[in-house]
Amino acid sequence: MTARTRILVLVSAVAVLAAVGLASVLHASARAERRDHTQAGAQPVTPGTVTLTGHGRMVFRNMAWGPHRDELTSVPAADPSAPRTASGVKCLRFHAASGTGVCLQAVHGPVSDTYRALVLDSRLKERARYDVPGIPSRARVSPTGHYAAWTAFVGGDSYAGTNFSTRAAIADTRTGRLIPTLESFRIVRDGHPYRAADVNFWGVTFAADDRTFYATLATGGSTYLVRGDLRTRTVTTLHANVECPSLSPDGTRVAYKKRVEGAPKDAPWRLYVLNLRTMRETPLAETRSVDDQAVWRDDRTVVYALPGDYGADLYAVPADGSGAVRRISAAAVSPAYVG
């Protein structure tokens, strides 16, 4: 190949790469512009008053394209496909109970984004603000509203792999006192004190006694359900292969995602429910991989998000392993049942 030919090949390659890059930029720009316009056939979304004390409401992050994308919106819990009322408050992750909410937000900067957690009152007004050290992934409020918890990725960005690090924090919403990381708690594994440099926690869920919580502990390539004690600052392992636990309203069971053999590496989970008295596991009817911390609609039904055309859709499934999966709301994520 002559020098002239090599130059022509190089110029052609550069031109092709430039064209591909330009097309990608234009496509992304056009998609971003479309997100500002209401999608055809979508549920109506109108601005209004959203509270965390209304009777029988579901509050969630609206994912539908349009001017209210990413805002907390509200619908009747009994009719999640009804027109949505938008609050104007934007969250990446959200949860609420007893008139208290926690909203994890991105703060967009000129070079990079930072993140924060807002504790909200019943009218979604900010009561407290905390810095979050990475990309938010999970949020929970205790049944009494007295505690809020969140998890963030501080290294890596997916639970599916092994090269990630998380930070789980708990805040007292009455005093503002913050536990910045559960890694400061004493760990008891299999009845013995345990320490390791690779300890990670995520997916906090609270009991109603303002003392007990459950979470995932990862160490040594394994995950465990742990029961935590806020007074003694101790966590104790209960069951292996449990991620993102969610305690039932009656406090007797935990819904969670479990890694199953033979599943793809990037989609390894199935939804299960664990009976905390008998430690019996029940697989739920959902056979797709669920990367979410499920929410209990009531003592009989579990709700969770799966990827959808506009980000995510919400689905419901019976908690006893029977029945069938139902999609209850399109373009929605991070639901909380209030009132």
Side-chain angles (χ1 to χ4, degrees):
M1 183 182 293
T2 66
R4 183 171 182 270
T5 301
R6 285 197 296 268
I7 291 172
L8 289 174
V9 170
L10 177 60
V11 169
S12 298
V14 170
V16 170
L17 290 175
V20 170
L22 178 60
S24 298
V25 169
L26 292 175
H27 176 73
S29 176
R31 183 175 176 84
E33 184 178 351
R34 290 199 303 273
R35 287 182 178 180
D36 294 333
H37 300 282
T38 303
Q39 63 204 57
Q43 296 156 263
V45 184
T46 56
T49 300
V50 175
T51 70
L52 302 181
T53 54
H55 178 69
R57 306 288 294 183
M58 182 176 78
V59 181
F60 58 96
R61 175 187 171 192
N62 172 53
M63 300 291 286
W65 288 2
H68 301 291
R69 181 177 171 84
D70 297 326
E71 293 182 20
L72 294 181
T73 53
S74 175
V75 295
D79 186 13
S81 62
R84 301 174 178 183
T85 301
S87 67
V89 177
K90 291 189 175 183
C91 303
L92 297 176
R93 300 291 296 187
F94 168 78
H95 192 250
S98 295
T100 298
V102 60
C103 169
L104 306 185
Q105 294 181 330
V107 182
H108 302 296
V111 177
S112 61
D113 293 346
T114 57
Y115 303 94
R116 64 191 181 192
L118 304 183
V119 175
L120 306 175
D121 68 13
S122 63
R123 299 185 65 83
L124 303 184
K125 302 301 182 183
E126 180 181 330
R127 291 172 50 192
R129 178 183 298 190
Y130 303 88
D131 292 333
V132 175
I135 301 172
S137 65
R138 303 289 181 248
R140 272 297 187 274
V141 174
S142 66
T144 61
H146 293 163
Y147 290 94
W150 53 87
T151 304
F153 287 111
V154 295
D157 61 358
S158 173
Y159 293 109
T162 57
N163 186 26
F164 68 89
S165 179
T166 58
R167 190 80 44 82
I170 297 177
D172 187 322
T173 64
R174 299 159 296 178
T175 66
R177 184 180 180 185
L178 177 70
I179 300 170
T181 173
L182 293 182
E183 293 170 27
S184 63
F185 279 41
R186 184 170 67 93
I187 301 171
V188 178
R189 189 177 77 164
D190 299 329
H192 302 284
Y194 179 81
R195 289 188 178 183
D198 68 344
V199 164
N200 272 312
F201 290 95
W202 66 85
V204 174
T205 183
F206 294 97
D209 61 3
D210 275 349
R211 176 174 181 172
T212 306
F213 67 91
Y214 298 86
T216 295
L217 161 66
T219 184
S222 299
T223 59
Y224 303 88
L225 174 69
V226 295
R227 181 176 59 238
D229 189 316
L230 288 171
R231 296 182 190 172
T232 64
R233 297 284 185 106
T234 301
V235 296
T236 303
T237 60
L238 298 179
H239 198 74
N241 197 6
V242 172
E243 298 184 55
C244 298
S246 180
L247 187 64
S248 61
D250 63 12
T252 65
R253 292 155 294 156
V254 164
Y256 63 101
K257 59 182 194 179
K258 174 182 177 177
R259 291 178 185 264
V260 295
E261 293 185 8
K265 289 185 177 181
D266 60 346
W269 300 289
R270 279 278 308 275
L271 275 182
Y272 278 71
V273 165
L274 176 70
N275 184 304
L276 292 173
R277 183 179 64 83
T278 65
M279 290 296 158
R280 177 188 175 190
E281 296 180 321
T282 299
L284 303 189
E286 175 60 80
T287 59
R288 293 167 292 185
S289 183
V290 176
D291 183 8
D292 194 17
Q293 186 175 18
V295 170
W296 290 77
R297 168 67 181 87
D298 48 41
D299 281 320
R300 301 177 302 278
T301 309
V302 172
V303 176
Y304 52 93
L306 284 172
D309 291 340
Y310 299 94
D313 299 333
L314 293 177
Y315 293 82
V317 68
D320 62 1
S322 67
V325 175
R326 296 183 298 113
R327 189 176 78 163
I328 62 171
S329 190
V333 73
S334 280
Y337 290 91
V338 302

